[in-house]
Structures are given as structure tokens and as C-alpha cells.
Amino acid sequence: MNNLKLRTAGMAVSAAALSISLVACGSSGPAGTGASADSATMWGLTGGDQPVFQASVESWNKSHPDSAIKLDFFANDAYKTKVRTAVGAGQGPTLVYGWGGGVLKSYVDAGQVDDLTGFLKENPDVQSRYLPSILESGVIDGKTYALPNNKVQPVVLYYNKEVFEKIGAEPPKTWDELMALVPKFKAAGVAPFSLGGQSKWPDLMWLEYLVDRIGGPEVFANIAANKPDAWSDPAVIEALTKIQELVDAGGFINGFSSIAADSNADQALLYTGKAAMILQGSWIYQGMKKDAADFVSSGKLGYTPFPTVEGGKGDPANVVGNPSNFWSVSSKATEEQKKTALEYVKDGMFNDENVQGLIDSGAVPVVTGIEDKLAASPDKDFLTYVYGMAKDAPDFTLSWDQALSPAQGDAMLANLDQIFLKKITPEQFASTMNATIGK
């Protein structure tokens, strides 16, 4: 993935002033067994990787009873707010799960996470196991503060082949083709697109890809660089306009603003044939492989690049999404907790068992030398497709809500929700977001 480049924000926001009630609202799996109140702690997300993380930590705890790790899981939507607030209050977990970008920088600026550069120099085998471009995503100002912990995650346009065959349609290659499919699926009683609008972040994938296809990755690079009025770029306005045109055409399933992605309700609409397509991360393949095994194994799941936009500047091979998720080590942890955390990162993570566990779950680990394992997987077609998307992308833009500062990311999701609900205009969105630049 030598060509993979990531756009990250340069905004710094102190999280130190935040406060929170840290009453636990997650769930502990068997991996939490054996840990004490003084043990190192780890917070992960429910969903696709949960069994893999759980098995990894459980195996670690069995072989290292004196340095066990307490693992808790949280739903994605709740986690993002909870962890930022907890870290800001100095009460975060020992191993902080994140996405890199502007949120990681906010932790670094507040002195909440440790510099791991020395750890990598002392452990060259850890450094060399990662795809270099992915490892770079945890670097802030030349120092490493976060290490990849799972899989590469481009956003993919999925479609239900059986539904497409019923109306004689082909997956759209252009925006015009996409819009032309909307009335055809509606006439057949099928929603053109599923969308977990209640979670808000799925809305963002539409804006990210449309802005890239229309104006190229430089448009968001200017936003991330805090250039004045960057949100008023014509590509942003056109992208928001196209989103509202798709809403007006009935492109999204009725009641999309009440559908939560955390419950996998959005992907269920695809594999049950109630919706023809969904724009989502590669991570939902793991959920569908588990919840709709027959649908996946029978070859009814299709996937294709996001369509081009006529006259657009963006390379059709560009992708958006997450290069990986990451572990950072809390600077507020005890020395013993930090020691356990780094030993786990070194020896408990990305060993043969962990790598195979990720592949078996339907994911592409962010480590080198796995081509043969991917080719031997029953999911090789999808895994190879995802690997190729990331490897061959001229530009891989990090999800904007993670690339920007927390304050700007939150404002963006709230206002984008209003765009999908037709409560504000593209120009009002741009004006509101321009006022957040530098915050």
C-alpha cells in the first residue's frame, strides 16, 4: 500500500475541560475474567471485531494471569463520545481504541496518551509487521502515538444481486445511472438505498465520496487544514445538493432517520431484499457473514466502487474510510498497566492466531505477508477486493468525523443530519461549518 495517502486534520482541541459520569455502560466478555481492579483496561466496540478481540485477550489472560487485561465493549455511537470525554477527564482505559486523525491529535495536545516511538525502536519486529502507510496514520508531528489493531476499512457500495436481477439492472457506474435506478426500484416496491440515519455517521459516507468525486481529495485537505471558508468550496455545495436531490427522489428507505447502524438494522434491509443497495464500511461484511451467512455464501452480495460524477475531478479509484483502528496507551495509567499494555501489543496482538481470526471473521488485517492466507479464505473474493481497493487507491481519505477535531466533527454530523432531513440548505450548512474552522 505504498500509494495509500491519508488526509488528516491539523486541528488541536483540548479535551481536558470535559467532564463525565464514568458509570460503565458497556459489556464485559469472558476476557474480563481474571482481571482485577488494578489490571490494565481495554475498551473495544461491539460488532464485527468483538469476537476476535475477545478471543485474543482471553488467550492473553490465560497465559499471563499476573498481567491480565480487563476488556469492555461499547456500541460505536456511544463509544465515540464516552471515550473522548473519559480520556479528557484522565479516566480513560489503559488501551484507548481510536481512529487516528484529529481526535488522536487532541489527545496528544492534552498530554493524555504516551509517545510510543521509543517502544517501536526497541521492538523492530512490531514496527515491521505493519503495512507502512497504515502505521503512519498513528504519527503526530513525527512521533508515534497509536498502533493499528485490526483491519483496513474502505467504504464500499454493496448491492443485492438478486434484487438487481429482478428488475434487470446493473450496478451504477455514474451518478446519473444511480439516480436513474431510483424510480425503477421504487416501482418494484424496493427501497433503492438503506441508510442508518439515526446513527448520523453513515450519512457522512455520501458526502465524503461525492466531494471526492466532484472536487478531488484537495477539497477536504483544505477543510482539514483550516483554510478560511473551505466548507464553501463549490464541490461541497454540489455534493450536498446531490444528496438532497436523492432524498427528494425517494432514494433512501422510508424512516431512514430512525434506523440505527449500531443494531445492524441498515444492513439487514439489504440482505432481506427490502433495499437494493447500501453505502457502508467494509466492516459490515463481518456482520452479514454472521447474520446472513446463506446470503453471503450464495453469492447474492455484490460490491462495487462509488460512482463517478460527470465532469468531476476526483480519481474513480480514490477511497474513503478508515485505514485501521488503533491502540494508544493512556499517559494516566499506572506503570504496571502500561507495561502490560505494551507487552500485549508486542506479543498478544497479530500473532498467527489473531491474524487468522480476523481473516476468518471476514476482515483484512493491516499486516504484511498475508496474501496466501487471504487467497485461502472462503471469503477470498471480498477480502481480495477490499485489499485491492486500499492498495491501489491514489488517495485514501480518513473518515472526516475522525480526521477533524472533535468539536468540528460533531458539528458536521449534526448539520449533515439536517441536510438529509431537508431542514437546512447546502449554503446554510457551509456557513455554519465555516464558523467552526479553528475550533
Side-chain angles (χ1 to χ4, degrees), residues 51-75:
V52 182
F53 278 126
Q54 196 157 297
S56 175
V57 174
E58 192 170 20
S59 176
W60 172 266
N61 287 352
K62 285 182 178 177
S63 58
H64 301 78
D66 295 331
S67 52
I69 296 172
K70 185 178 187 301
L71 173 60
D72 288 289
F73 292 103
F74 301 88

Side-chain angles (χ1 to χ4, degrees), residues 379-409:
D379 303 297
K380 64 180 180 181
D381 290 346
F382 180 76
L383 298 182
T384 303
Y385 177 77
V386 166
Y387 187 75
M389 277 185 79
K391 179 173 66 68
D392 300 333
D395 189 277
F396 190 147
T397 297
L398 176 64
S399 296
W400 294 8
D401 56 340
Q402 298 303 315
L404 296 172
S405 72
Q408 203 170 13

Side-chain angles (χ1 to χ4, degrees), residues 6 23 45 61 83 93 245 291 313 330 432:
L6 303 169
V23 177
L45 297 186
N61 287 352
V83 71
E245 288 173 351
D291 298 334
K313 298 177 182 176
S330 171
T432 301

Side-chain angles (χ1 to χ4, degrees), residues 326-373:
F326 297 84
W327 290 130
S328 295
V329 176
S330 171
S331 63
K332 308 303 180 185
T334 67
E335 291 305 312
E336 193 63 27
Q337 289 171 329
K338 292 180 182 180
K339 180 182 176 184
T340 295
L342 291 177
E343 286 178 345
Y344 169 76
V345 168
K346 177 185 173 185
D347 298 324
M349 203 169 70
F350 290 126
N351 52 31
D352 288 344
E353 180 185 11
N354 184 226
V355 167
Q356 192 60 54
L358 280 166
I359 293 173
D360 289 346
S361 76
V364 179
V366 289
V367 293
T368 57
I370 58 170
E371 288 81 355
D372 289 346
K373 290 184 177 179

Side-chain angles (χ1 to χ4, degrees), residues 302-327:
Y303 28 87
T304 188
F306 190 83
T308 60
V309 175
E310 185 177 356
K313 298 177 182 176
D315 192 311
N318 287 344
V319 297
V320 304
N322 305 317
S324 179
N325 292 111
F326 297 84
W327 290 130

